[in-house]
Amino acid sequence: SASSYVAVIKACGKAFRWDAAIHLLKEVRQRGQQLTIEIYNAALQACERNSQWAWTMRLFKSLRRINLQPNVETYRFMIRACQHEQKWKQAIQLLEFMGRQGLECPTQVLSDVVQVCADQHQLSRVVALLSSRGEALGDDRSPLYERAIRAMAGEGRWKLASGLLQEAFSKRCWPRSALTYTMTIEACGAAKQWELSLSILSDMEKLGNVTPDALTYDAAARALEKVQRWSELKEVEDVRSRAPAAGQYHPREAALSNTTVPSTRYFNYLDKHRVRKERELREGRAPRRVKMAPSSQLDLGL
């Protein structure tokens, strides 16, 4: 039966036997049984899971020849395959095909398109996707905004990152991860926008949905140190001593984007810098200005 083929083909994909999944798909046709979109989706998933881009595209194009209409699951696997292969143009085309069919685009699918565009530095496309499709997602927009904000911040585009963060606030799509705030504060600090960094930190504390951790305060401290704002730096350092330990992120938070949670080596690097600054402040000396590398340029031990 069709359900049996779907189960077996999915099992082949999980076992890295995408070739067996293709063989089973051919077997269905040779036996004269009716091909369903569920069977095709199972084969697509097997190829996507095993990074078989050529076969994924070949299967998708063959749907038209056998008069099968792609559904949301079909596009989900195809866009995920585009993400693996960094094919941002194809991902956007698939999104357009979904719209022409009148299919509703789930948050995760749109989020995958945003991510592949961000990975390929197509930040204008990211903004356009949020503007044109974000409203339709309602309360599910928070993960989408988080991916976009992290992408902007990772590229050092502090204006876009902070602008999207404020837009998310205005639409009540508050970020759910401290890492999103931290990366934005880091990007603003690197551009010497210390007031904006402190404003974002203050908004984060007032909202209360995410607690600033040690890494967040360290990003704000580096922004202040860069412009020699020693009194504000002392205040941030005092609060930082009571903050939760950095790096205690839930795996789901990291999964919101391809931005990997910083490794222990990175946190040790920040702690060493913090200890030196505290010692210099106790001794009554202004901390030395040290050129700190942004997190995107550090060896994170990945």
Side-chain angles (χ1 to χ4, degrees):
S1 65
S3 59
S4 299
Y5 273 108
V6 169
V8 175
I9 291 173
K10 284 184 176 180
C12 290
K14 291 179 181 179
F16 308 105
R17 290 299 308 276
W18 63 272
D19 52 340
I22 297 295
H23 176 77
L24 286 168
L25 188 64
K26 292 179 178 178
E27 182 180 302
V28 175
R29 299 187 67 179
Q30 290 170 355
R31 291 189 174 186
Q33 297 186 18
Q34 183 179 6
L35 277 170
T36 65
I37 192 61
E38 288 75 23
I39 295 175
Y40 245 81
N41 284 346
L44 274 172
Q45 185 181 24
C47 293
E48 172 267 318
R49 187 191 292 266
N50 291 277
S51 302
Q52 297 298 319
W53 169 254
W55 269 105
T56 306
M57 287 300 297
R58 186 172 174 180
L59 289 175
F60 181 74
K61 290 178 179 178
S62 67
L63 285 173
R64 185 179 298 177
R65 294 199 303 269
I66 58 176
N67 296 319
L68 278 179
Q69 194 80 342
N71 59 15
V72 173
E73 286 292 293
T74 310
Y75 286 108
R76 184 165 69 90
F77 297 136
M78 288 300 302
I79 289 173
R80 194 179 293 170
C82 292
Q83 188 178 11
H84 295 330
E85 299 295 323
Q86 301 296 298
K87 306 282 189 181
W88 66 271
K89 290 183 180 179
Q90 288 86 339
I92 290 178
Q93 286 176 348
L94 288 165
L95 201 60
E96 291 173 352
F97 292 161
M98 284 189 72
R100 291 173 194 168
Q101 281 188 234
L103 296 174
E104 184 178 347
C105 182
T107 304
Q108 186 58 52
V109 173
L110 186 54
S111 187
D112 288 340
V113 178
V114 166
Q115 188 62 54
V116 71
C117 289
D119 290 342
Q120 295 302 299
H121 315 292
Q122 301 296 321
L123 300 185
S124 60
R125 299 278 183 176
V126 173
V127 175
L129 285 169
L130 284 173
S131 301
S132 62
R133 296 176 178 270
E135 293 292 338
L137 297 174
D139 296 334
D140 293 333
R141 288 173 290 175
S142 292
L144 193 62
Y145 271 101
E146 291 215 60
R147 282 197 171 189
I149 292 166
R150 293 184 190 185
M152 306 293 182
E155 289 285 316
R157 304 288 291 274
W158 64 272
K159 286 185 179 180
L160 286 174
S162 59
L164 276 181
L165 186 61
Q166 294 304 316
E167 183 180 322
F169 287 163
S170 67
K171 296 181 178 179
R172 305 179 68 84
C173 300
W174 300 292
R176 304 167 186 171
S177 169
L179 186 59
T180 303
Y181 291 98
T182 301
M183 291 184 69
T184 309
I185 292 171
E186 183 85 60
C188 293
K192 298 185 179 181
Q193 301 295 319
W194 66 274
E195 291 176 311
L196 186 53
S197 293
L198 289 187
S199 175
I200 293 170
L201 180 61
S202 176
D203 289 341
M204 186 180 181
E205 292 170 335
K206 289 176 182 176
L207 283 172
N209 65 319
V210 178
T211 303
D213 59 19
L215 187 60
T216 309
Y217 287 110
D218 281 335
R222 286 195 296 279
L224 294 169
E225 185 184 26
K226 197 176 187 71
V227 294
Q228 301 185 32
R229 304 291 300 191
W230 308 125
S231 59
E232 291 89 348
L233 175 61
K234 183 65 168 64
E235 293 177 7
V236 169
E237 290 288 350
D238 290 342
V239 180
R240 194 266 186 207
S241 62
R242 302 188 296 272
Q248 296 179 352
Y249 297 108
H250 192 278
R252 187 175 179 277
E253 293 181 351
L256 287 172
S257 80
N258 283 350
T259 305
T260 310
V261 174
S263 65
T264 303
R265 186 182 303 178
Y266 181 48
F267 297 125
N268 291 341
Y269 178 84
L270 296 180
D271 285 337
K272 182 179 179 181
H273 183 62
R274 176 182 56 80
V275 169
R276 178 181 59 75
K277 286 191 294 183
E278 289 176 349
R279 183 179 66 250
E280 291 171 343
L281 286 169
R282 284 197 303 271
E283 294 173 356
R285 295 183 288 127
R288 291 176 295 144
R289 292 188 68 189
V290 178
K291 187 176 181 180
M292 299 286 288
S295 59
S296 60
Q297 295 178 7
L298 290 173
D299 179 8
L300 303 181
L302 303 174

